[in-house]
Amino acid sequence: MSQIITNLMLVRQRLELAALAAKREPEDIQLLAVSKTFPARVIEEAMHAGQTAFGENYVQEGVEKIQQLVKLRPWLEWHFIGPLQSNKTRDVAEHFDWVHSVDRLKIAERLSTQRAEFPNLSELQVCVQINVSDEHSKSGISLTEVETLCDAVSKLPNLVLRGLMAIPAPTTNVHQQRQAFAAVRECFTSIKVKHSNDVRFDFFDTLSMGMSDDMEAAIAEGSTMVRIGSAIFGKRDKINT
Ligand SMILES: *Cc1c(COP(=O)(O)O)cnc(C)c1O
C-alpha cells in the first residue's frame, strides 16, 4: 500500500479516537488534506483513497493543480487557506470552493464582486481568520474585531459565511494548544448565539482549526474541520512551508 494511503488511514484513525475521547461524533469533523508543495498526482492518489477536500496555500500553485485535475473537478472540493493579497482574489473567486483566510473586509468585498463574474459557480464558502496567540503574525483579525467583520461579510452577496479559522502559535504544550483553541471556540459560540435569529448566520457552522501536530487538542475544543498536511503527505521542503 502506498505511504499516502497508509498515512490517510492513520490520520482518520487519530480523528476518530480524538472525537471519541471528546464524546463527539467523528462525522462532525471534516478532514481537509493540505496538499501545498505536493504535486497533482499525489492529490489524485489521495482522492482514490476517498479523500475529496484539499487545501492550498498559494494561489498560483493551487490554480495550476486545480487545472491539472480538471477532469476530477466534480468530485473535488478546493479550499484556499493561505494569506490572500487583493491582486490574487480573482483567481481564488474563479477556482476555489472555500476560503478560510478572510481577515479584511476589502478582501471579502473583492471576492464577492468577482464571484459574480462566474454565474455558473455556487456561492463561495468563507471563514474569517482570527489571530489568537501570535502577535508577530500578520494574518488574522483580533478577537475584539472578529464579530464586526463577520457581520459585514455575512451581508455580501455570492459569499456564505461559514465560520472561523485559526492558526495558533505552534507549541508542544497540550495545555497551551487547548487554551488557544478554546479561545477560538468561545468566540465562535458567542457569535453564533448572538446571531441565532439571523438568517445570514444560518450556515455559520465551521471551526477550522487543528493541524498535524495539534489536531487532538483542536478536536477536544470543538474543531469541525482539521487541516492536515505533513501527517498525510510527508514532510515539506523547509523553503516551501
Ligand atoms: C500548511 C498548513 C496546514 C497543514 O500543516 P501541517 O502541520 O503540515 O499539518 C494547515 N493550515 C494552514 C493554514 C497551513 O498553511
Side-chain angles (χ1 to χ4, degrees):
M1 208 188 304
S2 91
Q3 192 62 52
I4 284 169
I5 296 173
T6 310
N7 289 349
L8 259 174
M9 289 174 59
L10 291 170
V11 166
R12 287 183 189 136
Q13 202 168 58
R14 279 177 66 188
L15 188 156
E16 278 170 34
L17 287 173
L20 288 179
K23 302 194 162 54
R24 301 182 56 201
E25 298 295 331
E27 300 76 43
D28 294 339
I29 304 147
Q30 290 185 61
L31 175 59
L32 180 66
V34 177
S35 43
K36 64 183 176 198
T37 80
F38 290 96
R41 64 170 168 78
V42 172
I43 296 171
E44 198 170 345
E45 198 180 327
M47 196 204 97
H48 288 301
Q51 180 63 34
T52 53
F54 293 90
E56 290 285 338
N57 269 60
Y58 311 99
V59 178
Q60 193 181 334
E61 181 195 333
V63 169
E64 275 170 27
K65 286 182 227 174
I66 292 169
Q67 285 169 338
Q68 285 165 359
L69 296 168
V70 70
K71 285 207 182 92
L72 301 173
R73 188 68 182 90
W75 295 278
L76 297 178
E77 190 176 86
W78 290 99
H79 295 236
F80 186 76
I81 62 174
L84 185 48
Q85 271 101 45
S86 37
N87 62 343
K88 301 279 175 63
T89 52
R90 174 168 276 102
D91 279 336
V92 171
E94 179 174 357
H95 294 285
F96 284 84
D97 302 297
W98 281 68
V99 179
H100 292 225
S101 43
V102 168
D103 62 358
R104 284 176 288 153
L105 185 56
K106 183 186 169 192
I107 294 291
E109 286 171 341
R110 290 178 64 89
L111 290 169
S112 169
T113 309
Q114 292 163 343
R115 190 71 166 185
E117 295 168 23
F118 307 97
N120 53 328
L121 298 182
S122 55
E123 291 153 306
L124 187 61
Q125 311 296 304
V126 304
C127 290
V128 165
Q129 184 176 349
I130 172 170
N131 185 344
V132 259
S133 50
D134 186 2
E135 306 93 60
H136 306 291
S137 160
K138 290 196 184 65
S139 302
I141 191 161
S142 70
L143 270 164
T144 53
E145 296 169 299
V146 63
E147 199 209 331
T148 310
L149 180 59
C150 283
D151 194 49
V153 170
S154 76
K155 293 178 175 146
L156 296 172
N158 314 308
L159 305 183
V160 178
L161 178 67
R162 292 303 299 268
L164 301 181
M165 183 271 242
I167 315 172
T171 166
T172 52
N173 181 322
V174 175
H175 179 68
Q176 281 172 13
Q177 291 174 357
R178 287 194 56 163
Q179 261 185 338
F181 291 133
V184 185
R185 189 234 314 132
E186 282 159 20
C187 178
F188 173 79
T189 307
S190 96
I191 293 173
K192 207 171 165 55
V193 168
K194 204 162 162 189
H195 293 268
S196 57
N197 294 318
D198 185 343
V199 290
R200 292 185 280 109
F201 284 74
D202 274 359
F203 299 97
F204 192 79
D205 60 0
T206 302
L207 253 182
S208 165
M209 57 189 200
M211 318 205 309
S212 294
D213 293 332
D214 57 14
M215 66 180 275
E216 282 81 5
I219 290 170
E221 296 298 343
S223 170
T224 68
M225 198 184 291
V226 289
R227 308 179 310 269
I228 309 298
S230 49
I232 297 172
F233 297 109
K235 279 207 166 36
R236 293 178 293 272
D237 290 344
K238 264 271 186 294
I239 36 161
N240 255 330
T241 55

